[in-house]
């Protein structure tokens, strides 16, 4: 427990939000758009699943905005889960943390709930291969109650049939990142993790993270990133009746699926 006392968790959370916002200047707008959907479609006392939650960025904002809601936050990264747990705790019994690997078939058995009104995910599902995404969406089809909603916010490429679109989006993303990381000196993903590794007490958690994600190879995943149509077809196939893009900025989009 000395590890919790030594680390400035709040500071690391702020730095997490800053680096994520460096990649996505409209990150808060994307969160707020998702919350507008929940506000419109769900009763106030809904139960949400924050899928691949990282340190709980969605749950933190969602529970502040919807005082009668509950959230279950799931991730496989022991570092980010520890960060979230230390900053947010259980938010007066309304937030529960679950450690599970979405690529494993038993992930939903660890949730402790069998039905959700909403599933939200941001900047995360691009980590999964297409075959894992299909399996995850099929599970969500069973977990989300009729009338419930899935919202996935992520960078999703336009694809090889739209090379000019991808060129424009990539150019836009490069400009955004140059402004944040070069001109404004914001910490990026690599420097955030490198700085965290300087905290001596983080060594065991970082080693465990390394072990868990050793099988994932980012470059291979990125080359095989599924397209928006694939996400939408997989959600339809999983039983969602209305599926489409509810918000987008270049290749950054929110796919919405109503069960
Ligand atoms: C860039 S972070 C985004 C976190 C948060 N949603 C946000 O927007 O700040 C991506 C997250 O996906 C999680 N993730 C990737 N693969 C996963 C898997 N197989 N199972 C569970 N979580 C996974 C990572 O651990 C990481 O926390």
């Amino acid at each position: 427990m000395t590890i919790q006392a030594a680390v400035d968790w709040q500071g690391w959370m702020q730095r997490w939000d800053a680096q994520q916002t460096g990649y996505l200047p409209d990150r808060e707008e994307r969160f707020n758009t998702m919350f507008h959907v929940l506000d419109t479609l769900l009763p106030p006392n809904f139960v949400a699943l924050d899928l691949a939650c990282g340190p709980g960025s969605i749950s933190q904002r969602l529970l502040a905005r919807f005082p009668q809601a509950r959230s279950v936050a799931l991730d496989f990264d022991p570092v980010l889960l520890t960060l979230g747990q230390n900053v947010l705790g259980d938010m007066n019994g309304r937030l529960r943390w679950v450690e599970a690997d979405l690529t494993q078939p038993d992930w939903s058995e660890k949730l402790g709930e069998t039905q959700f009104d909403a599933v939200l995910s941001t900047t995360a599902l691009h980590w999964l291969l297409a075959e894992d995404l299909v399996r995850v969406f099929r599970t969500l089809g069973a977990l989300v109650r009729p009338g419930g909603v899935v919202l996935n916010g992520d960078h999703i490429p336009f694809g090889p049939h739209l090379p000019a679109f991808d060129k424009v989006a990539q150019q836009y993303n490069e400009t955004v990142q140059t402004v944040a990381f070069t001109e404004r000196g914001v910490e990026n993903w690599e420097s955030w993790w490198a700085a965290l590794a300087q905290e001596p007490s983080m060594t065991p958690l970082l080693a465990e993270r390394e072990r868990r994600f050793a099988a994932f190879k980012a470059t291979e995943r990125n080359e095989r990133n599924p397209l928006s149509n694939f996400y939408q077809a997989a959600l339809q196939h999983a039983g969602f009746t209305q599926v489409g893009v509810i918000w987008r900025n270049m290749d950054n989009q929110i796919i919405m699926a109503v069960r």
Side-chain angles (χ1 to χ4, degrees):
M1 286 297 126
T2 46
I3 186 170
Q4 277 86 350
V7 177
D8 173 15
W9 296 109
Q10 198 72 50
W12 284 109
M13 185 69 125
Q14 281 164 10
R15 287 167 71 168
W16 170 267
D17 282 331
Q19 58 99 341
Q20 288 289 301
T21 307
Y23 294 95
L24 285 166
D26 44 12
R27 183 168 180 250
E28 297 301 326
E29 180 187 326
R30 196 173 69 177
F31 287 135
N32 286 330
T33 303
M34 290 177 152
F35 300 155
H36 173 72
V37 171
L38 304 186
D39 209 9
T40 307
L41 298 182
L42 300 182
N45 59 344
F46 63 82
V47 181
L49 171 59
D50 180 353
L51 201 64
C53 61
S57 309
I58 292 174
S59 294
Q60 179 181 30
R61 290 160 178 76
L62 179 147
L63 293 173
R65 169 141 171 191
F66 300 100
Q68 297 180 54
R70 287 194 296 118
S71 183
V72 177
L74 175 148
D75 205 283
F76 190 47
D77 186 324
V79 176
L80 296 180
L81 284 171
T82 302
L83 169 56
Q85 285 161 352
N86 277 282
V87 174
L88 304 178
D90 72 353
M91 294 195 72
N92 296 321
R94 296 195 297 135
L95 174 58
R96 207 152 45 70
W97 298 90
V98 172
E99 194 166 306
D101 179 356
L102 288 171
T103 66
Q104 296 303 307
D106 64 344
W107 68 269
S108 63
E109 291 163 24
K110 301 183 176 171
L111 290 172
E113 321 244 350
T114 53
Q115 199 171 65
F116 289 88
D117 301 291
V119 177
L120 293 86
S121 188
T122 50
T123 324
L125 297 187
H126 67 267
W127 286 51
L128 302 186
L129 296 175
E131 52 268 36
D132 292 323
L133 265 183
V134 169
R135 274 192 290 270
V136 167
F137 287 161
R138 283 182 74 88
T139 304
L140 295 186
L143 281 175
V144 176
R145 59 132 172 110
V149 66
V150 169
L151 293 162
N152 177 38
D154 212 344
H155 282 289
I156 300 175
F158 287 97
H161 62 299
L162 293 172
F165 286 64
D166 267 331
K167 186 177 177 183
V168 172
Q170 270 168 28
Q171 179 59 49
Y172 175 83
N173 292 336
E174 277 170 32
T175 304
V176 157
Q177 290 180 31
T178 301
V179 169
F181 303 127
T182 309
E183 293 173 16
R184 291 179 40 235
V186 175
E187 210 167 32
N188 68 11
W189 173 265
E190 287 77 18
S191 47
W192 188 87
W193 284 102
L196 193 66
Q198 299 305 307
E199 296 266 13
S201 57
M202 294 303 293
T203 305
L205 279 178
L206 286 164
E208 176 59 14
R209 174 179 194 268
E210 191 69 27
R211 193 189 65 76
R212 289 189 190 181
F213 286 98
F216 293 78
K217 290 200 186 113
T219 48
E220 283 175 20
R221 280 202 315 277
N222 289 338
E223 280 160 22
R224 297 177 54 189
N225 266 351
L227 307 183
S228 188
N229 286 351
F230 177 89
Y231 280 83
Q232 295 181 50
L235 284 160
Q236 275 160 351
H237 194 250
F240 292 87
T241 56
Q242 299 178 58
V243 181
V245 174
I246 190 79
W247 177 95
R248 79 175 306 150
N249 179 9
M250 299 287 168
D251 62 355
N252 177 16
Q253 55 184 274
I254 301 174
I255 295 178
M256 165 165 145
V258 180
R259 180 76 173 86

